Amino acid sequence: MKHILVANAKGGSGKTTLATNLAGYLATQSNHVLLADLDRQQSSTQWLHRRPADAPIIHTSQHKPSHAIEWVVTDSPAGLRDEKLAEAVKEADLVIVPIQPSAFDIGAAADFLEVLMTEKAIRKNKTFVALVGSRVNSRTNAAMGLATFMNESGFPVLAYLRNSQVYTTAAEQGLSIFDMRPSVVAQDIEQWSVLLDWIKDTHVK
Ligand SMILES: Nc1ncnc2c1ncn2[C@@H]1O[C@H](COP(=O)(O)OP(=O)(O)O)[C@@H](O)[C@H]1O
Ligand SMILES: [Mg+2]
């Protein structure tokens, strides 16, 4: 089983969008996927409740799954820190940190990455960290600032996801972009390719 934690102490950074789309992708690949929701706002859980019955199944922590789970994707709250962060990181094989292109988001991410680096599991290379640019419109100064920050962070940079209405539409419908008409999401799906290869290939403890 591989366990991916999506985390960033900053609210609105794209955690739920990343977690739900990742779970959705893995489910389209016939994997047994569980989406765990640590956030009291329960956005991922509500998304699962909106999910159409004919969409590829994603399990929740509320019901005992009938199959052995192959992937766990954990969505996490803003402000995750201290013991709760340590516990979540310890359980994860991979931590993906989505970051938006703004000075505030970059500042908050810098702090969060520093805290992450103090976690034992990460220092001992038992849990791997990677970054994803979230709502990035290319050719803006903000996007360039984010790219510079991420490239200099020392962590792998897996994707730049553009700001796109398809994520909003998917969220409303309990779908991932991987469940939508290919012609509508082709450009967005392309932006996920390195990220999807990384999660499949990266070592598990
Ligand atoms: N790539 C994107 N394109 C368009 N809207 C996005 C994108 N990523 C996130 N959003 C929107 O931004 C808001 C915050 O994202 P969300 O995933 O809920 O962040 P978090 O879980 O970190 O608080 C939501 O309304 C979401 O639909
Ligand atoms: Mg959220």
Side-chain angles (χ1 to χ4, degrees), residues 11-88:
S13 56
K15 294 179 288 295
T16 300
T17 302
L18 191 58
T20 52
N21 279 282
L22 198 48
Y25 166 76
L26 292 165
T28 63
Q29 304 303 107
S30 313
N31 293 292
H32 296 301
V33 185
L34 189 145
L35 180 57
D37 192 353
L38 301 182
D39 192 351
R40 279 174 52 201
Q41 284 179 4
Q42 295 282 290
S43 307
S44 289
T45 304
Q46 286 160 16
W47 174 82
L48 270 180
H49 290 156
R50 291 194 292 278
R51 195 159 172 79
D54 60 354
I57 189 158
I58 297 173
H59 301 279
T60 70
S61 357
Q62 274 88 33
H63 301 285
K64 194 174 164 14
S66 48
H67 295 278
I69 294 296
E70 294 159 291
W71 292 86
V72 178
V73 178
T74 299
D75 187 16
S76 66
L80 184 65
R81 60 194 172 87
D82 302 336
E83 298 86 51
K84 283 194 174 152
L85 176 65
E87 198 182 312

Side-chain angles (χ1 to χ4, degrees), residues 19 29 36 63-64 71 99 112-114 126 135 151 159 162-163 166 172 174 180 189 192 196:
Q29 304 303 107
H63 301 285
K64 194 174 164 14
W71 292 86
I99 310 172
F112 183 66
L113 292 177
E114 215 167 279
K126 291 187 171 148
R135 306 185 81 163
N151 290 334
R162 67 176 180 148
N163 192 57
V166 297
E172 282 165 6
M180 294 169 77
I189 284 180
W192 281 73
L196 298 177

